């Protein structure tokens, strides 16, 4: 970073001083790079001598660096070397010569991209004197499948934005764009035979009445596919079935079990309206659609989803049930396998290979299908042991829609796509990995901040050698940011941008803050009293509302976080959990209810909300001695689409011996499981009491009711604090 600033200053002060690139860095890290004696003096005039196989790459190179192909002292060679593997390349920078050798256009493209990371590109590169240290790179990928999933359904992304991402993928030697094109909330690809898919299915009416959507015409798609091809990127389209198909059913209601007319979905989640598996016209429809999709995408692969398909309607549909009986299937899971196999057989006749999410292995793995493992690594392990190829993208490391609290840069960097459970011969069925950018909570303008810098770690996991050093990577990241700046990437943070560590000691809260990037500055505001720089841990002796944010940020999404402290008699007291919170939402563990910190009104993932899945909350607070109090309050979160409901009932009890309790408060009928939105609700008892032990029981609502999209599944109770005043 400092060196770049230095160069910048040089540029501004004296235009004639040369830029010297003496120790270039590249992400993903090349397998081998050695610096040699001497310098190559960059010039916009250079003779380009290329093998005829690399005509398109030569054009790309000329345009990228504004090079005039004229007879000059400098020569750039694109040489064919048949001894190299498909994506392998040599890049040699000698005095007056740059040589890229590869056996395929993909290899040449990787060489060009490495060069692009070495040469300090800016608007008027031609007017600068640039000297690059002579060097040699020998490089090839560890995995052949290095992908990014872009969900253009939950939020539509403009054609130019998709092209920009293709460019960014190429820059980091990723080679697959997994393009998610159909969803509950929008159908995004023009299908001539079924025009309603885009007339109706591409648009949803948001709650405020606004019409939202968009789609890609066949012309758009051809343009994008060509753009990708010219950069060595393969686009794999995803057409979801049998679930995530509300938009298609909204367009053509006969595709569902009920035939009822429904609307394109506006909420996020898993929905029970899916394609009917008993109706042959559904298969005719899907085959017609796939035929048009195949015509547009040259890739050998078609992703058909296959995930999250609730079987509720199939269980109650006479056509589906008849299919189960006629085909001797064991229930709805085998009906799903039947569905996938029928599509797989169709794709085989078109010479295409089916890829599906790991649910498609339930009820038997379709022959030759590629499994994309997302619910952990297990699906990939089962696939590999069965000699099916697998792509690893577990939610634990690869879901870039998740907050940095869950998946930060270092965690992505620690990802190892080959599970220990596999033998060497089984491992070769793991063909690579993908990072998944689901867009429920990320419209186009937020995508950069989610994908970057995490994709840098993923590119290195999938390309570079297995042995890695995070500290060394961090140093290269610092030198990489200015390159991203030049490409206009509005990258986010490396880890949770603002993380509070609070302790309660001697009647005061002490809050220290961990920063998401080492170089960021923070400012804070206490009870709306004005902004101050954060330099040392903060201390508070009364109820406080603290707001912290990044100072002087140029990011599009500026980190800001607030913290609310409540002083009360339960603070830091001993708790006894009679039921267990879920490990995914453990918050401050046994301290959660008595740490003085309230959970957010709209974010149940803020680290203060504790979740109980399918079980009640039953916790005893031991105040240490008999204590007078006049209020008990606890609050709960509801967001029914994430299956989080208010409790069925709440009970407060007191005891002096910790064994026999008497009830002082009871309230039921507090939950409306279909009430929309995210909200927090508090339940208070008022009255003069005195006790040593106070017990809180909150009854889990139980299974989700019939009218819920995920009817029959367990629900969550989320609680943040138990206030004793
Ligand atoms: Zn049906």
């Amino acid at each position: 970073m400092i060196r770049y600033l230095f160069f910048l200053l040089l540029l501004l002060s004296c235009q004639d001083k040369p830029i010297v690139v003496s120790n270039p860095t590249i992400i993903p890290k090349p397998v081998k790079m050695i610096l040699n004696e001497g310098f190559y003096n960059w010039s916009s005039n250079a003779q380009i001598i290329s093998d005829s196989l690399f005509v398109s790459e030569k054009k790309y190179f000329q345009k990228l660096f504004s090079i005039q192909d004229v007879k000059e002292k400098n020569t750039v060679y694109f040489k064919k070397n048949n001894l190299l593997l498909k994506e392998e390349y040599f890049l040699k920078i000698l005095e007056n010569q740059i040589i890229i050798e590869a056996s395929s256009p993909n290899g040449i493209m990787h060489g060009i991209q490495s060069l692009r990371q070495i040469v300090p590109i800016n608007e008027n590169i031609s007017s600068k004197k640039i000297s690059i240290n002579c060097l040699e790179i020998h490089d090839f990928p560890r995995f052949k499948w290095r992908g990014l999933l872009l969900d253009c359904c939950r939020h539509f992304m403009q054609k130019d934005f998709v092209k920009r991402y293709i460019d960014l993928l190429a820059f980091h030697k990723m080679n697959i764009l997994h393009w998610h094109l159909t969803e509950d909330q929008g159908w995004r690809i023009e299908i001539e035979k079924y025009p309603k898919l885009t007339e109706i299915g591409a648009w949803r009416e948001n709650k405020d009445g606004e019409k939202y959507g968009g789609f890609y015409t066949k012309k758009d798609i051809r343009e994008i596919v060509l753009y990708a091809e010219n950069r060595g990127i393969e686009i794999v389209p995803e057409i979801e079935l049998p679930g995530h198909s509300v938009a298609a059913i909204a367009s053509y209601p006969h595709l569902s079990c009920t035939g009822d007319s429904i609307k394109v979905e506006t909420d996020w989640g898993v929905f029970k309206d899916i394609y009917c598996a008993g109706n042959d016209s559904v298969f005719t429809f899907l085959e017609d659609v796939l035929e048009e999709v195949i015509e547009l995408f040259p890739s050998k692969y078609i992703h058909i989803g296959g995930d999250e398909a609730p079987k509720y309607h199939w269980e109650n549909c006479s056509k589906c049930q008849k299919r189960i009986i006629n085909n001797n299937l064991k229930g709805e899971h085998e009906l799903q396998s039947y569905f996938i196999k029928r599509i797989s057989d169709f794709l085989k006749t078109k010479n295409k290979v089916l890829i599906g999410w790991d649910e498609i292995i339930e009820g038997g793995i379709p022959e030759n299908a590629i499994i994309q493992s997302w619910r952990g690594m297990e699906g990939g392990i089962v696939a590999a042991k069965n000699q099916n190829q697998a792509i690893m993208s577990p939610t634990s490391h690869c879901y870039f829609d998740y907050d940095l609290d869950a998946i930060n840069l270092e965690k992505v960097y620690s990802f190892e796509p080959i599970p220990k459970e596999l033998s060497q011969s089984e491992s070769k069925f793991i063909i690579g990995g993908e990072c998944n950018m689901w867009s429920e909570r990320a419209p186009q303008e937020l995508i950069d901040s989610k994908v970057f810098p995490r994709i840098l770690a993923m590119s290195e996991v999938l390309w570079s050698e297995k042995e890695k050093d995070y500290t060394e990577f961090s140093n290269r990241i610092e030198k990489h940011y200015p390159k991203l700046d030049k490409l206009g990437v509005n990258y986010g943070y490396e880890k949770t941008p603002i993380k509070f560590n609070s302790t309660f000691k001697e009647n005061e809260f002490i809050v220290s803050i961990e920063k998401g990037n080492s170089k960021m500055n923070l400012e804070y505001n206490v009870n709306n009293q004005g902004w101050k720089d954060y330099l040392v841990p903060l201390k508070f002796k009364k109820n406080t509302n603290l707001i912290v944010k990044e100072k002087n940020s140029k990011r599009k999404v500026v980190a800001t976080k607030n913290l609310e402290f409540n002083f009360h008699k339960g603070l830091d007291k001993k708790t006894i959990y009679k039921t267990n919170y879920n490990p995914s939402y453990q918050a401050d563990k046994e301290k959660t209810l008595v740490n003085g910190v309230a959970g957010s009104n709209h974010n149940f993932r803020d680290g203060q909300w504790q979740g109980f899945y399918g079980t009640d909350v039953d916790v005893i607070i031991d105040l240490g001695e008999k204590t007078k109090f006049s209020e008990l309050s606890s609050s709960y979160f509801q967001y029914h689409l994430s299956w989080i409901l208010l409790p069925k009932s709440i009970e407060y009890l007191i005891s002096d011996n910790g064994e026999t309790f008497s009830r002082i408060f009871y309230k039921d009928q507090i939950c409306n499981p279909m009430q929309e939105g995210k909200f927090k609700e508090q339940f208070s008892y008022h009255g003069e009491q005195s006790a040593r032990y106070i017990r809180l029981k909150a009854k889990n609502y139980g299974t989700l009711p019939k009218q819920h999209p995920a009817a029959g599944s367990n629900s969550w109770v989320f609680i943040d604090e138990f206030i004793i005043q």
Side-chain angles (χ1 to χ4, degrees):
M1 182 70 179
I2 289 170
R3 239 187 52 219
Y4 274 88
L5 282 175
F6 179 61
F7 288 147
L8 201 66
L9 286 174
L10 272 177
L11 284 176
L12 292 171
S13 58
C14 47
Q15 294 285 323
D16 298 318
K17 283 263 173 81
I19 299 173
V20 182
V21 181
S22 54
N23 188 17
T25 57
I26 294 171
I27 290 177
K29 190 181 183 181
V31 173
K32 192 174 169 195
M33 176 161 108
I34 40 173
L35 296 176
N36 290 327
E37 290 288 313
F39 285 88
Y40 175 88
N41 292 317
W42 186 266
S43 162
S44 302
N45 295 325
Q47 190 176 9
I48 307 174
I49 299 176
S50 169
D51 187 277
S52 58
L53 185 62
F54 309 133
V55 178
S56 155
E57 286 65 35
K58 177 183 163 179
K59 240 190 255 170
Y60 173 82
F61 172 83
Q62 271 188 275
K63 199 168 170 220
L64 186 67
F65 293 107
S66 316
I67 301 268
Q68 300 295 324
D69 184 9
V70 288
K71 204 157 169 50
E72 269 286 336
K73 203 163 65 175
N74 282 351
T75 313
V76 177
Y77 293 95
F78 294 151
K79 283 189 185 166
K80 189 159 191 288
N81 179 343
N82 287 328
L83 298 173
L84 301 181
L85 300 170
K86 190 183 168 208
E87 295 192 85
E88 189 176 9
Y89 70 92
F90 281 107
L91 168 63
K92 293 173 194 159
I93 300 179
L94 314 169
E95 287 177 15
N96 302 326
Q97 277 184 31
I98 292 176
I99 304 165
I100 305 177
E101 278 176 49
S103 64
S104 77
N106 300 75
I108 295 291
M109 183 53 70
H110 293 319
I112 294 173
Q113 297 298 343
S114 286
L115 193 58
R116 193 179 173 197
Q117 292 201 18
I118 293 169
V119 182
I121 317 170
N122 60 35
E123 311 76 54
N124 42 9
I125 182 171
S126 45
S127 65
K128 304 288 176 307
K129 274 190 174 169
I130 300 170
S131 298
I132 302 168
N133 205 130
C134 289
L135 56 80
E136 275 174 59
I137 291 174
H138 177 207
D139 206 7
F140 50 87
R142 183 173 169 214
F143 293 101
K144 74 164 189 180
W145 192 283
R146 305 179 304 280
L148 166 73
L149 173 147
L150 210 50
D151 170 9
C152 295
C153 297
R154 271 54 175 266
H155 282 100
F156 181 66
M157 298 172 201
Q158 302 297 328
K159 184 178 72 181
D160 285 345
F161 182 84
V162 177
K163 285 162 87 174
R164 176 172 169 269
Y165 259 82
I166 288 166
D167 209 40
L168 289 169
L169 287 177
F171 191 58
H172 298 101
K173 300 191 178 73
M174 302 285 277
N175 64 347
I176 303 282
L177 175 65
H178 171 172
W179 201 6
H180 190 72
L181 286 166
T182 72
E183 253 306 335
D184 297 315
Q185 297 84 1
W187 184 283
R188 305 278 175 239
I189 171 173
E190 180 187 13
I191 302 293
E192 278 167 62
K193 203 161 184 180
Y194 298 96
K196 284 186 191 168
L197 287 172
T198 41
E199 282 165 24
I200 295 171
W203 306 94
R204 61 178 184 252
E205 197 183 318
N206 284 339
K207 295 211 170 68
D208 55 9
E210 185 209 3
K211 196 175 166 191
Y212 177 91
F215 65 93
Y216 306 99
T217 63
K218 289 197 161 178
K219 186 168 165 272
D220 291 337
I221 289 174
R222 288 198 184 97
E223 186 183 326
I224 290 170
V225 167
L226 183 67
Y227 190 87
E229 245 175 18
N230 287 337
R231 283 155 186 77
I233 307 286
E234 181 170 346
I235 303 187
V236 177
E238 181 176 356
I239 306 296
E240 275 262 19
L241 54 92
H244 290 285
S245 42
V246 169
I249 293 169
S251 313
Y252 295 98
H254 76 275
L255 299 171
S256 76
C257 289
T258 64
D260 293 343
S261 87
I262 56 171
K263 285 193 163 164
V264 177
E265 196 50 66
T266 54
D267 280 318
W268 317 127
V270 175
F271 303 94
K272 59 180 180 285
D273 285 300
I274 67 174
Y275 293 124
C276 176
N279 187 346
D280 280 333
S281 69
V282 167
F283 291 95
T284 311
F285 165 82
L286 288 171
E287 288 174 9
D288 289 344
V289 166
L290 288 170
E291 203 141 342
E292 292 194 31
V293 170
I294 286 164
E295 214 181 274
L296 286 169
F297 293 94
S299 172
K300 184 165 105 184
Y301 307 100
I302 302 279
H303 204 301
I304 54 84
D307 60 320
E308 299 180 324
K311 308 298 185 296
Y312 178 81
H313 281 311
W314 287 4
E315 285 162 14
N316 297 296
C317 167
S318 60
K319 280 176 279 186
C320 285
Q321 291 305 312
K322 201 169 148 200
R323 179 89 77 197
I324 288 175
I325 293 164
N326 289 350
N327 290 275
N328 234 337
L329 305 172
K330 287 190 210 79
E332 288 74 23
H333 277 299
E334 287 200 3
L335 185 56
Q336 158 125 354
S337 301
Y338 167 89
F339 200 113
I340 303 293
K341 185 172 183 305
R342 206 162 145 173
I343 297 296
S344 171
D345 288 346
F346 170 77
L347 290 176
K348 246 178 255 168
T349 67
K350 303 283 167 191
N351 252 330
K352 299 281 170 178
V353 176
L354 175 147
I355 306 176
W357 299 105
D358 57 42
E359 280 96 331
I360 70 167
I361 65 184
E362 292 166 4
I365 307 188
E367 201 192 336
N368 298 324
I370 299 179
I371 307 302
Q372 182 161 9
S373 197
W374 74 282
R375 299 174 300 175
M377 306 288 273
E378 196 51 41
I381 293 169
V382 173
K385 286 190 184 291
N386 195 53
Q387 308 203 335
N388 281 69
Q389 293 189 328
I391 299 158
M392 293 301 202
S393 57
T395 50
S396 56
H397 295 79
C398 304
Y399 272 51
F400 288 2
D401 53 324
Y402 285 22
D403 288 343
L404 289 163
D405 304 333
I407 301 177
N408 61 28
L409 183 67
E410 187 166 6
K411 180 137 191 210
V412 178
Y413 202 67
S414 73
F415 178 48
E416 171 48 44
I418 307 264
K420 286 191 190 75
E421 289 86 341
L422 295 182
S423 70
Q424 206 161 2
S425 62
E426 287 162 345
S427 306
K428 68 174 192 290
F429 289 98
I430 308 297
I431 57 173
E434 274 184 21
C435 34
N436 294 347
M437 186 57 238
W438 299 108
S439 64
E440 285 96 330
R441 289 161 199 89
Q444 181 176 303
E445 61 270 23
L446 297 189
I447 299 292
D448 277 11
S449 67
K450 292 272 188 185
V451 171
F452 288 90
R454 289 185 283 195
I455 198 171
L456 306 177
M458 187 58 92
S459 78
E460 203 142 315
V461 164
L462 296 172
W463 177 283
S464 307
E465 288 183 311
K466 188 178 169 187
E467 302 311 324
K468 288 192 277 296
D469 174 356
Y470 185 71
T471 314
E472 187 270 341
F473 172 67
S474 295
N475 293 336
R476 271 183 297 122
I477 288 267
E478 286 303 326
K479 294 169 98 177
H480 201 73
Y481 284 137
K483 302 176 196 175
L484 295 180
D485 286 334
K486 279 178 193 158
L487 294 171
V489 176
N490 208 283
Y491 44 87
Y493 302 89
E494 293 171 10
K495 57 182 182 179
T496 309
I498 297 169
K499 189 176 174 202
F500 296 120
N501 292 318
S502 62
T503 48
F504 181 72
K505 219 163 119 190
E506 286 157 15
N507 289 319
E508 54 181 16
F509 281 115
I510 304 165
V511 185
S512 63
I513 305 170
E514 278 180 52
K515 302 177 194 176
N517 283 22
S518 53
K519 292 194 171 70
M520 73 193 272
N521 295 312
L522 299 176
E523 55 186 346
Y524 71 96
N525 193 333
V526 175
N527 294 337
N528 232 346
Q529 304 277 303
W531 293 94
K532 292 177 186 166
D533 289 345
Y534 171 80
L535 301 167
V536 292
L538 308 171
K539 293 178 179 181
F540 306 104
K541 284 194 165 155
K542 55 181 185 191
N543 286 0
T544 299
N545 194 331
L546 169 70
I547 308 174
V548 177
K549 69 172 202 242
E550 182 177 15
K551 195 180 173 183
N552 301 330
S553 177
K554 60 178 181 183
R555 290 181 172 84
K556 202 163 262 174
V557 192
V558 178
T560 170
K561 201 164 182 181
N562 80 323
L563 195 60
E564 192 189 315
F565 292 112
N566 286 298
F567 279 80
H568 63 85
K569 291 179 176 169
L571 278 182
D572 216 28
K573 293 292 188 287
K574 191 181 162 201
T575 58
I576 303 146
Y577 276 67
K578 295 289 198 185
T579 53
N580 294 324
Y581 50 82
N582 190 281
S584 304
Y585 293 96
Q586 52 187 358
D588 209 355
K589 299 182 182 165
E590 270 72 21
K591 287 270 171 238
T592 305
L593 301 188
V594 292
N595 70 356
V597 185
S600 151
N601 290 336
H602 47 83
N603 178 14
F604 61 88
R605 293 191 179 92
D606 69 349
Q608 292 304 330
W609 285 105
Q610 192 166 61
F612 292 74
Y613 183 61
T615 179
D616 301 335
V617 182
D618 186 354
V619 182
I620 298 167
I621 318 287
D622 179 357
L623 296 173
E625 57 186 353
K626 200 164 173 156
T627 307
K628 280 187 184 168
F629 64 90
S630 58
E631 184 195 331
L632 299 177
S633 295
S634 56
S635 0
Y636 305 85
F637 200 86
Q638 178 156 325
Y639 180 43
H640 82 294
L641 291 174
S642 286
W643 312 2
I644 301 169
L645 300 180
L646 296 182
K648 199 161 212 163
S649 63
I650 292 164
E651 210 177 337
Y652 302 146
L653 308 99
I654 55 174
S655 166
D656 285 330
N657 60 15
E659 281 163 20
T660 48
F661 282 84
S662 54
R663 181 200 277 179
I664 57 167
F665 175 83
Y666 179 79
K667 193 168 169 56
D668 63 357
Q669 297 192 331
I670 47 188
C671 177
N672 168 4
M674 295 309 290
Q675 191 173 338
E676 294 190 350
K678 295 176 184 172
F679 58 94
K680 171 178 178 176
E681 201 161 320
Q682 192 175 57
F683 300 92
S684 300
Y685 159 82
H686 295 274
E688 299 301 323
Q689 294 283 354
S690 148
R692 175 174 168 181
Y693 299 93
I694 305 179
R695 186 171 192 169
L696 159 80
K697 288 185 180 184
K699 199 162 179 50
N700 187 296
Y701 184 85
T703 55
L704 297 164
K706 197 178 158 194
Q707 65 273 34
H708 191 280
S713 300
N714 283 331
S715 62
W716 290 88
V717 182
F718 269 66
I719 181 168
D720 63 341
E721 187 76 4
F722 189 31
I723 296 170
I724 302 163
Q725 303 274 26

